């Protein structure tokens, strides 16, 4: 007995698999990639925002090495340090607030520019006072190492956010 093949129908294939909605694994992968991209952008911005601090601390370290090696005098160290602190202040604060400061106003700014040093007032009442007079003297007796430590503390204590308008 042979079957009657005329009554058989073609094989019906299922509909093709749709690309939407994606499987759960693709959703998790998309979420993970977006989180990693966001984290990378945040880290890059933070790294760029702190470039001024790394540069200032590197210049302070170089100034300290030159002073310890004896290639510059304490007087020249104070002059260079004064210029460096001015450059950092101009980078971090509006030019209209910083550029015209000198003398006691400059020392007051250095003490009040950040919270941790405000109470001690190391620039107005401490070793930092030499920044006002020493650059204009021919020679001076200065504890340059202490002044360099103070400048490093000041740079590290400055807020990291940009304060320019």
């Amino acid at each position: 007995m042979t079957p009657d093949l005329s009554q058989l129908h073609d094989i019906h294939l299922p509909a093709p698999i749709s690309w939407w909605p994606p499987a759960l694994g693709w959703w998790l992968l998309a979420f993970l990639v977006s989180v990693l991209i966001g984290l990378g952008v945040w880290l890059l911005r933070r790294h760029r925002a702190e470039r001024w601090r790394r540069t200032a601390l590197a210049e302070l370290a170089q100034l300290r090495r030159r002073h310890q090696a004896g290639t510059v005098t304490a007087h020249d160290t104070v002059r260079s340090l004064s210029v460096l602190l001015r450059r950092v202040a101009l980078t971090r604060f509006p030019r209209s607030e910083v550029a015209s400061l000198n003398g006691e106003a400059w020392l007051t700014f250095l003490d009040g520019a950040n919270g941790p040093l405000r109470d001690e007032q190391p620039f107005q009442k401490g070793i930092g006072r030499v920044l006002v007079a020493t650059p204009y003297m021919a020679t001076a007796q200065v504890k340059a190492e202490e002044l360099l430590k103070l400048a490093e503390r000041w740079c590290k204590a400055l807020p990291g956010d940009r304060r320019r308008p």
Side-chain angles (χ1 to χ4, degrees), residues 55-95:
T55 303
L57 292 175
E59 287 187 31
L60 273 171
Q62 181 183 18
L63 191 57
R64 178 176 279 125
R65 281 191 302 272
R66 288 191 327 210
H67 174 70
Q68 289 171 345
T71 57
V72 294
T73 64
H75 187 260
D76 291 335
T77 301
V78 172
R79 282 186 194 171
S80 299
L81 186 61
S82 182
V83 169
L84 178 62
L85 290 176
R86 179 74 63 165
R87 283 180 30 222
V88 169
L90 286 170
T91 301
R92 299 307 303 152
F93 299 97
R95 184 172 287 281

Side-chain angles (χ1 to χ4, degrees), residues 7 11 20 24 27 39 43 47 49 87 94 103 110 120 125 131 136 143 150 161:
Q7 294 191 2
I11 298 175
W20 192 260
L24 179 63
W27 285 109
L39 181 64
L43 287 172
H47 181 74
R87 283 180 30 222
L110 290 174
E120 301 171 36
K125 297 179 181 175
L131 290 174
Y136 306 106
K143 297 178 183 176
L150 175 61
D161 59 336

